Amino acid sequence: MDEKTTKKRETARVVKFFLFSVSAGIIELGSFALLQLITPWNFWPKYLIALILSVIWNFTLNRRFTFRAANNVPVAMMKVTAYYCVFTPVSTVFGNFLAEGLGWPGTLVTLINMVFNLVTEFLYDKKVVFKDSIDTNDLAKRASEKMNRVQEIRRIPMENCSISRWDDPNEINEKLRILTSQPIWEVDDEYYSNEILPYYENRCVRSKAIYEEAKNYIPGGVQHNLAFNKPFPMCMERAEGAYLYDKDGNRYIDFLQAGGPTVLGSNYKPVQEKALELIQTCGPTTGLLHEAELLIAKEINLHMPNVEMFRMLGSGTESVMAALRISRIATGHKRIIKIGGAYHGWSDQMVYGLKIPGSRALLESHGIPKGAYKATDEVRPNDLDMLEKMLKRNKRKGGTAAVIVEPVGPESGTRPVAYDYNKGVRELCDRYGALLIFDEVVTGFRVALSGAQGFFGVVPDLTIFGKVVAGGYPAAGGVGGKKEYAQLMAAGLSTGKHRAYVGGTLAANPLSSLAGYYTIKEIARTNACEIAGQMGDRLCDGLKELIDRYSLPYVAYNQGSIVHLECTGAMSFDFSSLCFAKSALGLLKHKEMMYERKDSMEKMGAAYMANGLVTLAGSRLYTSMADTPEIIDDALNRFETVFKHVKKTDKGLV
């Protein structure tokens, strides 16, 4: 949840507590005044009775409406009693001294005690009584559901768009907060030991053998981070549409889709035929100009008019490097702002604030000289206020060259943003003279044919492409944008003018260019984005229903064909701060627990795989045009098999 929303929520909580306390105060004053009229008693018994009545009233209302807590009532009352075991004698003795000893009016003394009571009890309730149970009762859940019904679906009249609704990020983040405030829920050890591990040992013998030998020749035994799965990587032999087949002949429903590029489904035949035809005539590469380079540039411009010029490169990482060089040349500024938790490739300057916002260079930046990212900053996702503060700070340091964002949120929407967030970023970039870079490596031609920029109606200065731009074939990357910026990386020998130096022997090779061109044309012809998005909605809605059916704290949501299933919340923590020490201390405090949740996430991923489901680390799923309602329903049955064996553990808390 962003800082502004958190402040608003806490302000509302304070206001509610105050109003309920006022009502309790009226009861306390009224009952005290009544006892004063009808009894000859001293101050202390009248005050004590009035206080008890107000406490019961106040506790009941604040538990239900202010803190919306579902914790054990007797336990909560015992904690409140402990508070009043201290407050009552102190306030009674002090009040009696003022009233009887100094002759102050009893009503005034009671009022003073009430103010002291108001402040101390609020802090005690929040930090002690309801600490681990805030916003968990039925009222909070109904409010969340109501908010979802009102805000969840935001219809956008677009053709070939995968997104039919836009979830409120505050609601998602609140659910994730509740998920991570309780212990981990995962498949129980008996099921994991008796059914999951035997699947790998008995039915994946060839995969294990290849992996064991590969460890002798390949660092870690795999060539790509996505390939590693618990307990060992599966070796795939065949990909077809919505399915993958491993070396042992096991079939899996493929929700990894190579990390997102195969919107049409794996090994799509019409594109494959064009690729084979080219290999038989030209071969995969010549090192010289090929017409396919022009074809793909024109096709991208047709669907994304803001991309006036396009240069194809070998990967998303290379494309980000080129875009940052362009930005620095175009603006004369040097600093780059990224959003915490986002991944923009693995160049030195971008391995900063990966996965966890606020992590800066503390988690993944091993082997990188500190100077490499000294001009890189990160800010909290979905927080325009923090972004503007960073832009102001950078203005004093020579200015910001670019703000780079994943338009649906960091890590393909793992940290979702508000629908109008990108518009706000665009306005801030214009105000402070920075270029806006959209990283559409995942979203380009998946979110919509016109990309996320078309969906949000925001014009970036530069756009990063990858994955889909080569249709799942190698050398998938590129950068494009407004002509005035894109032409700053013109090819050829140095002319003495300022140019962004880019290269790549196999960049824009005929095979990748042609495959990308026909992939985009097929996405347009078949309405693939919309079909994949419909299957994403069906999958996500089915997961939500299963989560409710089995009373699990899991969180499911989607941005069209990008589906998120958070079972541990391993990546939902946020230590963003303009102060380095605050970020570092937060990370250090939670580091062990985050790794514990990451291990559990991988354990869930292993359970899914053993049930015929390929996911991205057990927490993200990509649907494609190859998915059908029958395939999605089959997948949901397999997820249900796993969910039936989920139990609450005692792991995963600080």
Side-chain angles (χ1 to χ4, degrees), residues 278 282-291 293 311 491-492 503-513:
L278 179 133
C282 172
T285 186
T286 66
L288 297 173
L289 179 66
H290 190 279
E291 185 184 13
E293 299 174 48
R311 174 139 183 199
T505 303
L506 297 181
N509 64 77
L511 177 61
S512 300
S513 300

Side-chain angles (χ1 to χ4, degrees), residues 1 15 24 30 36 41 52 56 113 126 140 159 163 197 241 296 305 321 357 381 433 470 497 499 540 545 623 645:
M1 184 176 293
V15 170
Q36 190 136 311
W41 301 341
I52 291 172
I56 295 173
N113 277 336
K126 183 178 178 181
E159 293 183 358
I163 301 179
L197 291 181
I296 190 171
M321 291 166 59
K497 297 179 181 179
R499 289 284 184 268
C540 184
E545 193 276 326
T623 52
H645 295 90

Side-chain angles (χ1 to χ4, degrees), residues 79-95:
K79 292 180 179 179
V80 171
T81 301
Y83 165 81
Y84 277 101
C85 282
V86 176
F87 174 79
T88 302
V90 170
S91 62
T92 302
V93 172
F94 180 65

